Amino acid sequence: MALLAAPLRAAEPESLVLNLACLYPEDHPVVKEVLLPWAGEMLRQSKGRLIIRLYNPGALCQDDEVLQAVRLGQIAMGHGALSAAWTHFPLGQSTALDLGEETLARKSTAFWRIYQDLPELQKEFKGIRILALHARQPYNLYAVRDGLYGTADLRGRRILAETPAAAEALAFLGAYPLTVPLGDFSMYLNEQEADGALLTLDQAGQIQAEKEFSQAALVDLPGGMCWLGINQGLWDILPLDLRKILADASGLKLSQELGRVLRAAHRMDMDDLRAGSLRVHYLSAGERAVLRKAFQDNLLEQWQNNAQVAGMNNPRAVYERMRRIMTEAR
């Protein structure tokens, strides 16, 4: 509780400690290869005055509370998935729309440029100074029993979802979503209260999916956007030299690095999945097209309605602008 109540405190004379709630655990490549070296560089450049301490998921607060905790200044910094706080972002929902065929690295580049280009999206992060944005790994389906091969097989199945966004995707596809924290998945599965789960590959590794499921179906539903940011009020009172150090080491460059490492990690996770004991169903082009269309058509309609309610005059034009930026991203 002391950590939550004091996001900025003296560690030693003229030193500032910023606690960062991470989306990934300490052994994840994004933490080991990007965030820890980045925090180390902040320490070096500031000559020991700026100390960023990284905390594992759930150590400071639950994943779905990180954004609000940073916004309120209960935590200095956060790294989270937009999908974990879906209901707060009627326009941010657009980051799960199909914006074209792209890699995680390319999408991460585009997300930063989309954020810079869309004042409407910037307003949804009010209270947080965004330092980097990147794409999340796509979602795939895991089943307790074999037989999950397409959209028709999902109808009526009880599928676990760890965020409102994942639950929404499942509902669009005809499944019955059960929204519970990732840490509770095993309990639901052991008590036979669920038929499967919608997970990213790194999440599947965290809950040891091979022990819980018999089949994985690679549907690659977009996982949306992840953010890295600092409380805006705290940012505003940082000494100018420390603010410059943070700003210079963030933005597009950091977004691209996060995307690059996450793409490599995703490839390794895919290799592990193929080498493991789970049966892996690779959807045909036709199966994938039907499933993605069912998801995207419903999401696009809902997003346009939410965007209009939020005051956006021409959601379709904004969507096309986002697609253009994604196409141009390198």
Side-chain angles (χ1 to χ4, degrees):
M1 291 302 294
L3 291 173
L4 295 178
L8 174 62
R9 62 189 180 88
E12 57 185 58
E14 299 185 0
S15 293
L16 301 176
V17 176
L18 306 182
N19 295 323
L20 169 58
C22 291
L23 174 64
Y24 300 112
E26 59 188 341
D27 59 350
H28 193 281
V30 162
V31 176
K32 292 194 300 183
E33 299 178 29
V34 183
L35 295 182
L36 278 174
W38 172 74
E41 185 63 15
M42 299 304 97
L43 184 66
R44 186 190 67 80
Q45 288 194 30
S46 67
K47 298 180 181 178
R49 293 171 56 218
L50 183 59
I51 302 168
I52 299 176
R53 289 181 178 165
L54 279 62
Y55 288 83
N56 278 330
L60 298 180
C61 65
Q62 295 301 312
D63 290 349
D64 61 352
E65 299 170 347
V66 172
L67 186 136
Q68 193 68 353
V70 174
R71 177 175 280 159
L72 296 176
Q74 296 168 331
I75 301 174
M77 305 179 74
H79 176 219
L82 199 61
S83 57
W86 204 255
T87 53
H88 300 295
F89 290 89
L91 306 186
Q93 187 183 37
S94 61
T95 62
L97 291 170
D98 186 1
L99 301 174
E101 295 299 324
E102 64 283 320
T103 65
L104 288 170
R106 182 172 170 181
K107 182 178 281 189
S108 299
T109 297
F111 276 166
W112 180 259
R113 291 176 176 165
I114 286 170
Y115 174 77
Q116 297 299 313
D117 195 55
L118 290 182
E120 300 93 340
L121 187 56
Q122 295 169 22
K123 289 178 182 177
E124 298 208 335
F125 285 100
K126 185 178 180 180
I128 299 176
R129 169 78 180 201
I130 295 298
L131 301 175
L133 298 166
H134 67 86
R136 195 180 195 186
Q137 282 190 342
Y139 285 113
N140 291 296
L141 286 162
Y142 290 78
V144 173
R145 291 172 293 278
D146 293 345
L148 190 57
Y149 303 116
T151 308
D153 301 318
L154 274 169
R155 293 189 186 121
R157 290 213 190 191
R158 298 165 301 168
I159 308 295
L160 296 171
E162 46 86 41
T163 67
E168 190 174 67
L170 290 166
F172 287 158
L173 298 174
Y176 181 77
L178 302 171
T179 309
V180 299
L182 186 63
D184 293 341
F185 274 30
S186 293
M187 178 182 69
Y188 277 76
L189 293 165
N190 291 336
E191 295 180 2
Q192 299 182 359
E193 295 185 15
D195 303 307
L198 190 67
L199 297 164
T200 63
L201 290 182
D202 49 24
Q203 288 177 327
Q206 289 178 46
I207 67 167
Q208 298 181 309
E210 291 187 358
K211 295 181 180 180
E212 307 286 357
F213 306 105
S214 65
Q215 180 197 11
L218 301 182
V219 295
D220 287 338
L221 293 180
M225 176 191 284
C226 297
W227 59 276
L228 174 67
I230 181 172
N231 172 265
Q232 183 67 56
L234 176 56
W235 171 268
D236 292 340
I237 64 172
L238 281 178
L240 290 177
D241 62 327
L242 297 186
R243 201 186 309 175
K244 184 177 187 305
I245 289 170
L246 264 176
D248 289 348
S250 304
L252 178 60
K253 181 179 178 181
L254 182 57
S255 300
Q256 290 174 326
E257 185 65 9
L258 287 163
R260 183 191 66 78
V261 170
L262 193 60
R263 181 189 181 193
H266 184 65
R267 288 175 171 173
M268 291 179 63
D269 289 339
M270 188 65 71
D271 290 341
D272 290 342
L273 178 66
R274 289 167 177 155
S277 60
L278 280 176
R279 293 187 181 183
V280 182
H281 176 60
Y282 300 90
L283 274 69
S284 68
E287 291 170 333
R288 187 179 295 267
V290 169
L291 190 145
R292 288 180 69 92
K293 188 175 189 303
F295 170 60
Q296 287 294 329
D297 285 354
N298 282 287
L299 181 63
L300 182 57
E301 180 181 358
Q302 186 183 90
W303 173 73
Q304 289 184 118
N305 292 336
N306 289 341
Q308 289 174 339
V309 170
M312 185 181 287
N313 294 325
N314 192 344
R316 190 73 196 196
V318 172
Y319 171 61
E320 293 302 329
R321 194 158 89 230
M322 292 173 65
R323 285 181 59 89
R324 187 193 73 243
I325 294 172
M326 188 66 71
T327 301
E328 295 170 352
R330 293 292 182 270

